[in-house]
Amino acid sequence: MKTRGVEQSMSGEAHSMQQRGRMMRLPGTFGVFAAGLLAVGVAAAGLPAAAADQGSAAAQPVETMVTLDVGTQQLLRQKYPIRRVAVANPAIADVSVINARELLLNGKNTGVTSLMIWTRDSKSQPQQYKVTVSARSISGSTSDLLTHRDAVLAAGTSASSASGSGGGDNGSAQVVADHTSVAVDTQVMSQVRVVDISRQALQEFGINFGHGNSAGVMGVFTPGGASGIGSTNVGGTTNTASGNSISSATGFLPIASAFNFLYASNSYLGALSVLENKGLARTLAEPSLTATSGQTATFLAGGEFPFPSVQNGGTTGNATVTIQFKEFGIRLNLTPTVLARNRIALKVAPEVSELDYNNGISLNGITVPGLNVRRTDTTVELGDGETFVISGLVSNNLKNNVSKVPWIGDVPVLGAFFRNTSVNRSERELIMVVTPHLVRPMTKDAPLPELPGAALDQYRPSFAHTMFMETGKFGQGEDQGYSR
């Protein structure tokens, strides 16, 4: 408890004693009369004083409630001069003496404490106060979250500065009670576009030729074009007289998957493989999702595929195989935060995945596919209707392979018959785009746009129409998508 006192002056009591001494020395009848009046006055004054003492002893002090915020001040004014003050917990609230009758109460930290004030009025009890210090609060309405954030930061900074280093908490940031409202739209619809384009070009060239007669067999084949040579009376390019043969797992084709030009006779065999292949693949996904500001929304259009998981080691004979499921398809996770009417902070994580059996594995006759995944996870800030490219990828791969017979394969023109050439080029471009919109729900009883495929509800073609007039449109026009 913190107590402060003010010394009392004794000049008034000394002056009173001198006056009583003079009156006692008054001579004669006037002195006796004066002494009688003094005794009556003392007796008359003594009865009310005794009654007041008994009444004040019986009366209980009244406690006054005082409430203020951290970092604010309140003036307390007393009727009589202040003699002493006491604060139970100066870390919560403290007082400063302004003058003989006024105190300044300072709120320092949140909490409840008591304050007692003694005055020079000897007939009254000390005045008691219950002081409640609450967190700094702000109220009203702001136009956007940016203005609201600045107001909260300013309130917390001013409260912390007002409390100073003597208010405990080692100067930490002050808690601010927020009673404000933000007048902005809180529904955000985000459109995400994922485009993946792959281009591939392939060129391959190879020549095989062989010759056989009564003297023997010979030939030049590309790598893999011939699988072995043996002694037999049966088979492909052979010398039946000598019993030697050459076998091929690919049928003596330089490139089995290419275009092959063949020539065969009793003595000669020739094969020319030429291939030029170009491919184009495009993947487009446009998921849309609506969420409230500050809330996370999730979207998935795809499925789940099973894959085995071996547990308990797998080599001790006690292994168990459990089936788990993994999601694939088009996934979108986003968390929008509306900062202002023209500013949206968006945490977005789009993902497009598909099954890839080329990179799968086989276990006990079960094929488990891999996944071809395109994924990004980022946070951007943009305006209503603005578009941001959140990620992009450009990839170029080139593979060039030449298999040839040493020295002879380097001879111009003639060396082409002793070479196998392959050129493989692949290009890939991936881009992800996001566009947020502040939206509001449709009003009650408002007409809704036509749902995709609504025209098919009335599509009842006859046999003649299906056989002679159906062109593949199935009774509907161009459908741009309901979400657009």
Side-chain angles (χ1 to χ4, degrees):
M1 178 177 287
K2 187 175 182 180
T3 305
R4 297 180 182 177
V6 181
E7 288 195 12
Q8 244 181 343
S9 175
M10 301 299 296
S11 59
E13 295 182 0
H15 180 71
S16 177
M17 292 178 63
Q18 292 178 3
Q19 292 295 333
R20 287 197 296 267
R22 292 176 182 176
M23 292 177 65
M24 292 176 64
R25 291 194 296 270
L26 292 178
T29 305
F30 180 76
V32 175
F33 178 74
L37 289 178
L38 180 61
V40 172
V42 170
L47 289 175
D53 291 340
Q54 294 177 359
S56 61
Q60 297 295 330
V62 179
E63 188 176 52
T64 304
M65 305 293 295
V66 178
T67 303
L68 68 162
D69 295 336
V70 174
T72 60
Q73 299 174 331
Q74 185 169 341
L75 183 65
L76 300 179
R77 182 177 288 106
Q78 302 298 316
K79 184 177 180 181
Y80 297 96
I82 301 171
R83 182 161 52 96
R84 186 170 69 247
V85 295
V87 181
N89 190 352
I92 297 178
D94 200 1
V95 293
S96 300
V97 179
I98 303 301
N99 52 46
R101 296 187 180 184
E102 293 180 339
L103 295 176
L104 190 62
L105 185 62
N106 303 311
K108 303 178 71 175
N109 288 290
T110 57
V112 179
T113 186
S114 61
L115 170 66
M116 298 184 68
I117 301 176
W118 287 267
T119 63
R120 293 186 179 179
D121 182 13
S122 60
K123 299 179 182 180
S124 64
Q125 294 291 327
Q127 180 67 37
Q128 295 187 9
Y129 294 89
K130 183 179 180 180
V131 181
T132 302
V133 181
S134 58
R136 186 71 178 271
S137 62
I138 57 175
S139 60
S141 177
T142 56
S143 59
D144 52 67
L145 286 180
L146 298 177
T147 305
H148 171 266
R149 179 184 62 185
D150 295 339
V152 173
L153 292 177
T157 303
S158 62
S160 178
S161 301
S163 62
S165 60
D169 293 343
N170 297 324
S172 59
Q174 299 294 321
V175 178
V176 178
D178 186 8
H179 302 289
T180 60
S181 60
V182 182
V184 294
D185 294 330
T186 59
Q187 307 289 337
V188 180
M189 183 186 70
S190 300
Q191 293 179 325
V192 180
R193 297 177 178 89
V194 181
V195 181
D196 187 3
I197 300 177
S198 297
R199 291 178 291 268
Q200 187 173 5
L202 175 65
Q203 293 179 346
E204 290 184 306
F205 170 80
I207 295 178
N208 290 343
F209 68 92
H211 173 68
N213 55 26
S214 59
V217 294
M218 62 170 293
V220 177
F221 304 97
T222 59
S227 59
I229 185 170
S231 298
T232 181
N233 292 326
V234 183
T237 302
T238 65
N239 181 354
T240 57
S242 62
N244 296 324
S245 67
I246 300 174
S247 59
S248 173
T250 62
F252 296 102
L253 299 178
I255 304 172
S257 60
F259 291 94
N260 294 279
F261 300 91
L262 304 176
Y263 172 78
S265 67
N266 294 332
S267 301
Y268 293 94
L269 172 65
L272 172 64
S273 296
V274 180
L275 175 64
E276 182 176 3
N277 183 18
K278 293 182 180 181
L280 175 64
R282 182 175 185 262
T283 301
L284 173 64
E286 295 187 60
S288 300
L289 190 60
T290 302
T292 304
S293 176
Q295 302 298 319
T296 301
T298 302
F299 170 85
L300 175 64
E304 296 182 347
F305 70 95
F307 67 95
S309 176
V310 181
Q311 299 178 354
N312 297 333
T315 60
T316 61
N318 296 324
T320 59
V321 178
T322 60
I323 301 299
Q324 298 181 359
F325 289 85
K326 186 174 181 61
E327 296 177 345
F328 71 96
I330 301 173
R331 176 191 293 275
L332 177 61
N333 296 332
L334 63 88
T335 304
T337 302
V338 181
L339 302 178
R341 295 184 183 274
N342 60 345
R343 188 58 48 189
I344 302 172
L346 187 64
K347 179 176 175 58
V348 58
E351 176 183 324
V352 177
S353 59
E354 55 193 19
L355 299 180
D356 185 6
Y357 288 92
N358 294 329
N359 295 322
I361 60 175
S362 296
L363 297 175
N364 298 326
I366 301 176
T367 301
V368 181
L371 282 178
N372 187 8
V373 181
R374 283 84 82 188
R375 179 192 301 126
T376 188
D377 189 348
T378 185
T379 301
V380 293
E381 186 174 315
L382 64 169
D384 180 17
E386 295 180 349
T387 300
F388 222 133
V389 178
I390 59 176
S391 63
L393 170 67
V394 176
S395 176
N396 293 320
N397 294 323
L398 175 63
K399 295 180 181 180
N400 193 353
N401 184 38
V402 177
S403 300
K404 62 182 179 179
V405 177
W407 303 308
I408 301 178
D410 296 330
V411 177
V413 183
L414 180 62
F417 295 94
F418 300 89
R419 288 197 303 262
N420 184 16
T421 305
S422 174
V423 178
N424 189 354
R425 181 189 299 273
S426 61
E427 299 176 356
R428 182 181 181 183
E429 185 174 357
L430 173 65
I431 188 172
M432 295 186 180
V433 182
V434 61
T435 305
H437 297 278
L438 290 175
V439 296
R440 294 181 180 179
M442 296 182 180
T443 59
K444 183 179 179 181
D445 299 330
L448 298 178
E450 191 176 79
L451 296 177
L456 295 177
D457 294 339
Q458 307 299 327
Y459 181 67
R460 300 291 186 273
S462 62
F463 176 79
H465 178 86
T466 304
M467 184 173 181
F468 296 105
M469 307 197 55
E470 183 58 68
T471 60
K473 294 184 178 180
F474 302 107
Q476 58 180 348
E478 296 293 334
D479 191 355
Q480 296 298 325
Y482 182 79
S483 60
R484 298 181 182 178

